[in-house]
Amino acid sequence: MYRRLDDFRTQFQEEVEDTLKVLRAIPDAQAGQAVTAGHRDLRRMAWHLVESLVSLPAQIGLMVDGPAVNEQGTAQEPLPESMAEIADRYARAAASLLGGLATWTDADLLKEDPMYGHMVWAKGYSLRALEMHQAHHRGQMTVVMRQAGLKPPAFYGPALEDWAEMGAPVPAV
């Protein structure tokens, strides 16, 4: 849970940059790859990240510039065809979220809000949950990227291919 806005801003911006690395590494030709039939493909997972930057903050009083979403957090506009457009919409929504915090104080992070009608979370916890939700789906996307024959970008440490590029031995698999 965050107790200082500056801590959230710093960490969230790092997470946004890592997410943008992933979104920008997915060519449109492979964006239809899903882990298996009946699951979200890369394009849909990427758009879900944009949707979540709007829907969860709305629950805690932050209005974010992004697609209009319904009560389930699903955008009320068509899924963009281009990964570049999704990455751009993600970057704008993330910047809007950070801008919306300008009126908050650290004390606001302790205030509680009903979440999705059945939980009560402190705003600082909600911001942490949003951040972890993004990391969760970003991790899923890197697995699906591998299935699509793509190299995922490095974050939280090197990807397999990065070891050789660094002149280091590749860890045993």
Side-chain angles (χ1 to χ4, degrees):
M1 180 171 131
Y2 284 102
R3 287 175 172 41
R4 290 178 20 89
L5 284 166
D6 284 343
D7 292 341
F8 171 75
R9 286 183 187 106
T10 299
Q11 187 64 40
F12 185 72
Q13 190 56 49
E14 290 175 14
E15 296 296 318
V16 166
E17 290 168 16
D18 286 343
T19 300
L20 286 169
K21 286 180 195 176
V22 171
L23 299 180
R24 291 176 177 150
I26 302 169
D28 290 336
Q30 278 90 5
Q33 176 76 38
V35 69
T36 191
H39 288 256
R40 291 177 178 144
D41 63 22
L42 287 167
R43 180 178 291 109
R44 185 67 190 91
M45 277 195 273
W47 189 236
H48 176 65
L49 294 178
V50 178
E51 293 169 330
S52 68
L53 286 182
V54 175
S55 64
L56 190 147
Q59 298 285 317
I60 60 175
L62 277 173
M63 296 301 109
V64 172
D65 179 22
V69 295
N70 63 20
E71 289 179 10
Q72 289 77 37
T74 303
Q76 300 301 290
E77 63 183 71
L79 176 64
E81 290 296 318
S82 158
M83 288 301 297
E85 181 181 348
I86 293 172
D88 180 61
R89 300 282 299 272
Y90 176 85
R92 285 189 291 163
S96 175
L97 186 152
L98 288 170
L101 293 174
T103 61
W104 284 26
T105 67
D106 290 343
D108 289 317
L109 296 173
L110 300 175
K111 294 178 183 173
E112 295 183 337
D113 298 290
M115 296 298 293
Y116 303 107
H118 59 86
M119 301 172 279
V120 176
W121 291 352
K123 290 179 189 304
Y125 181 84
S126 295
L127 292 175
R128 179 73 175 142
L130 175 67
E131 188 177 83
M132 296 311 298
H133 177 259
Q134 300 279 304
H136 160 71
H137 286 300
R138 190 173 63 228
Q140 289 178 321
M141 292 174 76
T142 63
V143 171
V144 179
M145 288 175 73
R146 288 263 185 223
Q147 288 182 316
L150 302 170
K151 176 193 173 289
F155 49 86
Y156 305 143
L160 181 68
E161 299 85 351
D162 296 328
W163 288 99
E165 291 175 16
M166 295 184 314
V170 175
V173 180

